[in-house]
Amino acid sequence: MDSLYQKQQQLLARTNVSFKRYMYGKIPWNDRMVVSSVVGDFKIAQYTFEVGGRSKTQEQIKNRPNAFIVKDNIEYGYKNVIPLWAFGLNY
């Protein structure tokens, strides 16, 4: 049991969740209807957002209308991919 706990702690230490925390911090929670989404990380009105790092793929939101990938560590958006920093401009 101790080795399982140690393995979990090692995986947790290597996981970067700061970009999701940043994204959630930029949403005006009192002004929007935001819900958890089965397909993406969260949904605002009819728009679904999947948040991830530079290597995040379209796999989770494929064939979904109004779905967007929000990526960290990219400079420019394209098609339905939005750079995470762009959400900071709305704050």
Side-chain angles (χ1 to χ4, degrees):
M1 194 64 151
D2 287 335
S3 65
L4 181 60
Y5 176 76
Q6 289 172 350
K7 180 67 173 174
Q8 184 264 343
Q9 290 299 316
Q10 290 171 351
L11 290 172
L12 188 58
R14 291 191 317 220
T15 303
N16 182 2
V17 295
S18 62
F19 53 85
K20 286 190 183 185
R21 289 184 187 142
Y22 174 82
M23 184 69 183
Y24 281 108
K26 293 300 176 189
I27 297 171
W29 294 101
N30 295 331
D31 300 336
R32 304 269 191 254
M33 177 60 175
V34 179
V35 295
S36 293
S37 175
V38 174
V39 176
D41 286 325
F42 58 92
K43 192 170 185 174
I44 302 174
Q46 74 270 21
Y47 302 104
T48 303
F49 296 93
E50 177 64 31
V51 181
R54 175 176 277 218
S55 60
K56 187 69 172 172
T57 66
Q58 302 275 336
E59 188 63 31
Q60 261 183 289
I61 62 166
K62 68 180 179 183
N63 302 323
R64 299 288 301 187
N66 299 320
F68 300 89
I69 298 288
V70 180
K71 287 188 177 186
D72 195 16
N73 296 322
I74 64 170
E75 293 182 30
Y76 305 102
Y78 51 95
K79 295 187 180 180
N80 68 331
V81 177
I82 304 168
L84 180 61
W85 62 262
F87 285 85
L89 298 174
N90 295 322
Y91 188 61

